[in-house]
Structures are given as C-alpha cells and as structure tokens.
Amino acid sequence: MTDEPAIVFDGVSKHFGPEVRALDEVSLKVHPGEVVVLLGLSGSGKSTLLRHVDGLQRPTGGSVTVLGTDVGKARGGELRRLRRRIGFVFQQFHLIGSLTVLENVCAGALGRLRGPRLGLFTYPKAVRLEALGHLERVGLLDRAFQRADTLSGGQQQRVAVARALMQRPEILLADEPVASLDPESSAQVMALIREVGAEQKLTVLCSLHQVDLALSWGDRVVGLRGGQAVLDTPVAGLDRDAAMGLYAKVAAAPLPVPAAVG
Ligand SMILES: Nc1ncnc2c1ncn2[C@@H]1O[C@H](COP(=O)(O)OP(=O)(O)OP(=O)(O)O)[C@@H](O)[C@H]1O
C-alpha cells in the first residue's frame, strides 16, 4: 500500500431537499489495496456514498477526492477519465440479458474504445481474448457463448465482475453485490471480489447488509447510521455485537468512535 489514499471523503454531506440528509459530514480515507465494507440499515446512506466516488452524485458540502481528482468539481473529459478507472458492480448485475456472456464482458472495454460496438466481432480480437481470460478467471469460460439471461444470479454477478475487470480499474465499487443471491452464491461472489481485488491490487469499497460476510471478507468496516459514519474499524478485532448494533432500529449504546481520519 502507498501512503496516498485512493479515496478521501472530507466532511461530505449530501442533502436531498430540506428533509433528507443522506450523508452527514462523512470523513473517510481508503488506501490503495484496502477492502472496505460499508454496513448500515436500509436508507443509512451506503449507496449515496458509493455514488459520490464516481461522481454519479455530487456533495452538497465537503469534498470527495478520488485518485487525486476532486470529484465534485470534475466535469466532462476529466470525469470520464476518472470513471474509466473505477469499476462498479450492482445488486441487479445490469447485464444485457439478450447478449452473450462474452459480449457483456467485452462491453466493459467500451470506455477505452472509440465508437459503439454492435456484435461480438466488432470488438478487436485482443479485447475478445482479454474478456475470455476474465471469464476463465471467474470460472465461466464454458458459458461464454450463452445468453446472459440463462445464467443463475450468482453466475450473472460473476460475469458482472468480469465486465468490471475489463475496465482495468484501480477501484472496484460494489453496491450490495450479493443482496439477491443465496448464501452459497454470496460467499462465492464475495470470495471472487476479494481474490481479484488482491490479484489486481484494487481498492475495494463494497456495501453489504450481512455482518458475517463483512467480517469474513473485509479488511475494515465503516458503519453508517442516518448518513453519519458511526463506526470505522479494522475487521480484525471487531466485535460482532458492535457491528450488529448498526442494525438496531434505535441506537442502543454508543458505537465505537470512528477511527481518526489519517
Ligand atoms: N435521489 C434521491 N432523492 C431523494 N432522496 C434520496 C435520493 N437518493 C437517496 N435518497 C435518500 O437518502 C437516504 C440514503 O439512501 P441510500 O440509498 O444511500 O441508502 P442505503 O443505505 O444505500 O439503502 P439501501 O440499503 O436500502 O440500499 C435515504 O433516506 C434515501 O431515501
């Protein structure tokens, strides 16, 4: 790991109108190669936080700096260049079901190719070979020419990971990537994210609902409650009850004080 953080949230707030504080002065640093899991109740701000990393949303207050770019101020080409360096995996996979698995993975390279591509053979051979390599990595090489919508949920999410890798990202964001999967597929997908993260030296920021998965696969847990970071601690030594406290409807006892940003 280098000392320069990959992601810096400095007092970030995001308000939607006068009522909703989706993020409330969140400060957070994520270092290259770290695997950070965001935990918190539905509505606590996890997706909003992730969407600030690649500029899908901009802060109302504070600043977000990602790979040296001030995301809130970046526009046009600068924002596009930053987004190419960030892969995003979603709960609902976002594959194109009518296309083959391989074509879906190739689509991950679109950001670095000129013009649209219609059909597998409009992608350069090198891209197709790279995509096949990623499919092999996620254990789905034998499904390359199958329609994406014929795969199970767990398989589709592994394809989505392969597609994200086609971007050759430095950061991988995952927004509840296993929320719609059974426990076995969830563990497979989390293992895959963890392993490819280590292989490709990715910085990983992943929201989850399952405390046990967070404790198994994260280096560090950041807990959100009402848009505030109320827990920030390495997984090693994290008390499961403290993590579970994030899911109490009312905060019963003070959670561990977030680690100082630094
Ligand atoms: N575009 C929006 N307009 C208005 N309110 C929003 C918008 N996006 C999010 N919110 C609100 O911000 C708060 C945080 O939402 P967010 O989706 O970040 O939570 P979350 O922790 O990801 O929830 P979940 O686990 O259900 O995905 C919620 O109160 C939500 O209703």
Side-chain angles (χ1 to χ4, degrees):
M1 287 189 199
T2 64
D3 285 341
E4 193 65 30
I7 301 170
V8 182
F9 276 61
D10 187 3
V12 174
S13 295
K14 178 66 175 179
H15 299 171
F16 293 105
E19 302 289 324
V20 181
R21 291 179 172 213
L23 294 178
D24 192 4
E25 304 211 358
V26 172
S27 290
L28 178 71
K29 285 185 180 178
V30 183
H31 291 274
E34 258 192 311
V35 178
V36 176
V37 175
L38 302 173
L39 285 176
L41 281 168
S42 188
S44 58
K46 303 181 298 297
S47 300
T48 304
L49 191 150
L50 288 171
R51 292 163 70 86
H52 277 72
V53 176
D54 74 348
L56 283 169
Q57 286 177 346
R58 292 170 194 273
T60 316
S63 67
V64 180
T65 306
V66 178
L67 301 171
T69 298
D70 183 336
V71 184
K73 293 187 180 147
R75 297 280 184 280
E78 191 183 13
L79 196 54
R80 277 196 300 280
R81 281 191 295 280
L82 177 66
R83 284 184 177 153
R84 276 184 216 147
R85 301 168 73 190
I86 303 173
F88 213 141
V89 174
F90 302 91
Q91 178 181 343
Q92 294 303 336
F93 327 130
H94 291 187
L95 301 181
I96 301 178
S98 59
L99 298 183
T100 63
V101 166
L102 182 56
E103 199 170 346
N104 271 281
V105 178
C106 286
L110 281 172
R112 61 184 145 98
L113 300 173
R114 284 178 189 275
R117 306 280 152 167
L118 290 172
L120 183 60
F121 290 96
T122 61
Y123 287 92
K125 187 176 177 189
V127 168
R128 284 180 271 143
L129 289 175
E130 188 179 341
L132 285 168
H134 288 310
L135 276 177
E136 186 170 22
R137 175 64 192 85
V138 304
L140 292 170
L141 188 55
D142 58 334
R143 306 301 176 112
F145 297 101
Q146 208 167 311
R147 272 175 65 122
D149 58 8
T150 62
L151 267 53
S152 71
Q155 290 168 333
Q156 289 193 46
Q157 194 59 296
R158 283 151 59 197
V159 173
V161 171
R163 180 184 55 190
L165 292 178
M166 280 302 285
Q167 280 179 249
R168 302 174 186 164
E170 289 157 68
I171 293 175
L172 182 64
L173 305 177
D175 195 358
E176 294 183 27
V178 298
S180 58
L181 303 182
D182 62 56
E184 192 183 336
S185 302
S186 297
Q188 277 179 1
V189 167
M190 289 311 300
L192 180 66
I193 288 175
R194 173 93 212 177
E195 287 163 13
V196 297
E199 287 162 15
Q200 315 262 335
K201 298 185 171 47
L202 301 177
T203 305
V204 179
L205 192 51
C206 173
S207 71
L208 288 175
H209 270 300
Q210 304 89 330
V211 169
D212 291 324
L213 283 181
L215 297 181
S216 300
W217 303 111
D219 292 331
R220 177 175 151 205
V221 167
V222 171
L224 294 174
R225 177 185 279 278
Q228 294 182 328
V230 295
L231 175 78
D232 185 349
T233 181
V235 164
L238 173 61
D239 177 10
R240 186 174 184 279
D241 289 343
M244 288 304 290
L246 290 163
Y247 289 90
K249 292 291 178 195
V250 177
L255 289 160
V257 175
V261 172

